[in-house]
Amino acid sequence: MHKLISELTRLYLFEEQQQYVDAQGGAQPLTPAVLARHLSGEQTVAVQLVTGSGLTRVLVLEFGGKGGGEAHWSALCAIANAVQHELDLPAPAVSISGTAFQLWLSLATPVPVAQARQFVQLLRSTFLPASTDILAAAPPADVEQVALPPCLQLSGKWAAFIHPSMGAAFVDEPGLDMPPPPAAQLGFLESLRSINPAQFAQALAKLQGHAGLAQPAPAPVSMTVSPVSSPATAPGLLLQDASLEDIVRWLHARNIEPTFRHRLP
């Protein structure tokens, strides 16, 4: 569990100032003990992704809602592929929340939340046709607070990070009946890299150019985040259907033993 917490911190959390929202709606410190209980299903909390000074280092896009699972997955694939091949950014993580698909973009250096929202909006307007833009009503809270996977949802389903090639298997039910093995969750995260300030600025400028916006992007705020060293460069996402043998081979290469996602009758 300690290694999983370290990877989540490296990619998405602040070393300090990190908070969660308690049952009364108040902000409390997100200690390693609280995060461990969250990840084990004992106490699910909404993690605040924005500091008191209005900075964030993770962009979360949610694709979901009642019905339309295949359309949601196709839209996620369109954005994820554009992030890598059109904007030259590192591969994002993919998760299932119990009700939706989520795409996670990690920033090495925090940016103002207003700039993060603009980036997400421009991603959507640039790479999703208006007729299929299922994120049109996405709430700002997607950027500000989220139940960090893996975690147990109120529905009884587990949210979890998944390998992108497995997404099509969850179009009807984007959640797990059983808790995902921590080693598998660690395997999905440890090869991911954060977007560095130069990459973010270049990608934002490109998106602004597509939208006809001339103003330069403000520079990311200099701020120390988790000191955990970055792993080796990760290969690009393979956002396409994969065979069971492909998935098992990929997991075994990372010393992950696959398990069933549903309880058998």
Side-chain angles (χ1 to χ4, degrees):
M1 188 67 73
H2 175 72
K3 290 183 178 180
L4 179 56
I5 290 176
S6 294
E7 284 302 299
L8 290 169
T9 300
R10 176 181 68 84
L11 290 168
Y12 308 122
L13 303 177
F14 295 96
E15 189 67 18
E16 300 176 354
Q17 304 180 38
Q18 197 73 50
Q19 296 181 317
Y20 73 94
V21 181
D22 63 20
Q24 288 72 41
Q28 302 294 334
L30 184 68
T31 64
V34 170
L35 189 53
R37 290 197 298 272
H38 169 83
L39 299 176
S40 64
E42 298 176 38
Q43 175 192 7
T44 301
V45 299
V47 178
Q48 289 191 336
L49 303 179
V50 180
T51 66
S53 55
L55 301 177
T56 185
R57 61 173 304 236
V58 57
L59 311 179
V60 184
L61 287 75
E62 185 164 292
F63 304 77
K66 187 175 182 180
E70 291 185 7
H72 298 149
W73 177 245
S74 295
L76 181 147
C77 292
I79 294 292
N81 285 323
V83 162
Q84 295 172 87
H85 304 306
E86 302 295 332
L87 300 180
D88 297 320
L89 297 177
V94 178
S95 72
I96 47 177
S97 71
T99 58
F101 295 104
Q102 292 174 327
L103 198 64
W104 298 71
L105 282 74
S106 168
L107 304 177
T109 301
V111 300
V113 68
Q115 191 180 53
R117 288 192 186 122
Q118 182 192 41
F119 190 93
V120 170
Q121 291 167 355
L122 290 174
L123 268 179
R124 183 174 68 239
S125 61
T126 302
F127 298 114
L128 286 183
S131 60
T132 60
D133 186 357
I134 59 176
L135 291 178
D142 283 347
V143 175
E144 297 177 358
Q145 65 183 49
V146 70
L148 190 68
C151 65
L152 181 62
Q153 302 287 18
L154 291 175
S155 64
K157 298 292 183 181
W158 278 82
F161 289 102
I162 63 171
H163 188 268
S165 63
M166 300 167 63
F170 295 97
V171 295
D172 294 325
E173 188 179 17
L176 301 177
D177 290 332
M178 303 174 67
Q185 295 295 281
L186 178 64
F188 294 142
L189 297 175
E190 61 186 358
S191 62
L192 298 179
R193 294 178 295 121
S194 297
I195 300 169
N196 67 43
Q199 289 173 320
F200 182 80
Q202 183 178 25
L204 182 55
K206 185 178 291 188
L207 290 171
Q208 289 173 333
H210 277 293
L213 303 176
Q215 69 269 24
V221 178
S222 177
M223 181 175 178
T224 302
V225 293
S226 171
V228 182
S229 59
S230 225
T233 299
L237 291 174
L238 298 177
L239 292 171
Q240 58 189 15
D241 292 344
S243 68
L244 179 60
E245 290 77 12
D246 292 334
I247 295 170
V248 171
R249 190 180 307 112
W250 188 93
L251 293 172
H252 281 166
R254 289 154 178 79
N255 296 316
I256 301 170
E257 188 60 34
T259 61
F260 291 106
R261 62 177 285 261
H262 294 298
R263 297 183 188 276
L264 297 177

